[in-house]
Amino acid sequence: MSTRSRLNTALGAACAAALMLAAGAAQATDLVVSAAASLTNAFKELAQSFEQQHPGVKVVSNFGASDILMRQIVRGAPADVFASADQTAMDKAVAEKAVDPATRKNFASNQIVLIVPQGSRLAPTSLADLTQPDYKRIALGNPASVPFGRYTRTALEQAGLWSQVQAKGVMAENVRTSLDYVARGEADAGFVFATDAAIMPEKVKVALRLPSDQPATYPIAVTAGSRQPALAAQFVAYVLSPTGQAVLARYGFLKP
């Protein structure tokens, strides 16, 4: 091999090594945030503003049903921060040692509402109205797997209506799916968080706000397997800061 060929080979190897190091460095600054589906809009804005304040950091958001996200983290899926829509999913994460319990904080609260399609002639004035024949399909969340489903069941059980409404239930995998069912007219009514109803005012309208003895509080924590616990803790602190709380308030979230 000629001297020039050997030099080109060496330079190629050096460039490849540099690219690998650069890729590793970029990956090292990724902050993976797994958050409840109802937090999608607010957390996208929080992620963007956090990145602006931390040059070189990329917030990778993973949204879905809290229980599903929790199981993903337990099974080893990459995540640095877990934000749940209820305490039950976070309690399970703590029990499975998937999060650092010392970092657990409540950062927001929400309310369950009953919605109907914007152009619907139906206008329920009480939960008991859902037992009427006009209401054939009602969007619900599975209490076994999604927080908004658990909150809904609690309210309906308190009203003595859970079994009757469940019989008409169209189960949604997360709260945004329930919202879509009603928005598309695939359900006569449905249950969602108030913040979700607010993002589609042209397609759905709130008929009732559900009373409940169980507050819909949202906890957040740094995961036990985080590769960047210090950065993850900074994100949690940012969500709890006045700036973070102001962003959440703009999307309709209440103080915890």
Side-chain angles (χ1 to χ4, degrees):
M1 181 182 292
S2 67
T3 302
R4 181 178 294 276
S5 296
R6 286 196 297 270
L7 181 59
N8 287 339
T9 300
L11 285 172
C15 288
L19 287 171
M20 290 178 65
L21 287 172
Q27 187 177 13
T29 57
D30 283 353
L31 184 73
V32 182
V33 176
S34 289
S38 55
L39 293 165
T40 300
N41 298 67
F43 264 45
K44 281 183 177 178
E45 182 174 334
L46 285 170
Q48 185 177 21
S49 55
F50 186 81
E51 288 173 351
Q52 291 172 350
Q53 295 184 22
H54 297 78
V57 173
K58 173 64 177 176
V59 178
V60 179
S61 300
N62 178 29
F63 298 109
S66 298
D67 291 55
I68 292 175
L69 296 175
M70 178 273 298
R71 287 195 291 270
Q72 290 174 350
I73 295 170
V74 168
R75 292 169 183 168
D80 299 292
V81 176
F82 175 43
S84 169
D86 78 345
Q87 302 297 331
T88 300
M90 186 63 77
D91 288 343
K92 292 177 183 177
V94 171
E96 294 286 348
K97 296 181 172 54
V99 298
D100 179 358
T103 65
R104 178 177 179 171
K105 303 288 183 182
N106 291 335
F107 68 94
S109 65
N110 214 332
Q111 186 177 22
I112 297 293
V113 297
L114 175 67
I115 58 174
V116 296
Q118 185 59 250
S120 175
R121 62 177 179 81
L122 300 174
T125 58
S126 71
L127 290 175
D129 288 347
L130 297 178
T131 63
Q132 296 175 3
D134 286 341
Y135 298 90
K136 296 178 176 59
R137 292 165 60 85
I138 302 170
L140 299 169
N142 186 344
S145 59
V146 288
F148 90 98
R150 290 191 280 269
Y151 292 128
T152 300
R153 180 182 62 183
T154 296
L156 289 170
E157 284 178 343
Q158 290 172 349
L161 298 169
W162 170 243
S163 60
Q164 295 163 279
V165 175
Q166 184 186 28
K168 301 181 179 184
V170 180
M171 292 299 173
E173 63 182 12
N174 60 56
V175 70
R176 291 298 172 91
T177 304
S178 183
L179 176 65
D180 287 341
Y181 283 157
V182 179
R184 294 194 298 259
E186 296 171 4
D188 302 306
F191 294 92
V192 297
F193 285 118
T195 51
D196 296 292
I199 69 173
M200 285 191 179
E202 73 287 354
K203 293 185 177 181
V204 303
K205 56 187 176 183
V206 175
L208 293 172
R209 293 182 178 272
L210 274 62
S212 176
D213 294 335
Q214 181 183 11
T217 54
Y218 287 57
I220 190 170
V222 176
T223 64
S226 173
R227 295 180 179 179
Q228 304 177 97
L231 185 61
Q234 289 178 41
F235 184 84
V236 171
Y238 183 65
V239 172
L240 292 164
S241 72
T243 300
Q245 290 292 296
V247 171
L248 288 161
R250 283 203 300 277
Y251 286 92
F253 288 94
L254 305 173
K255 294 286 186 181

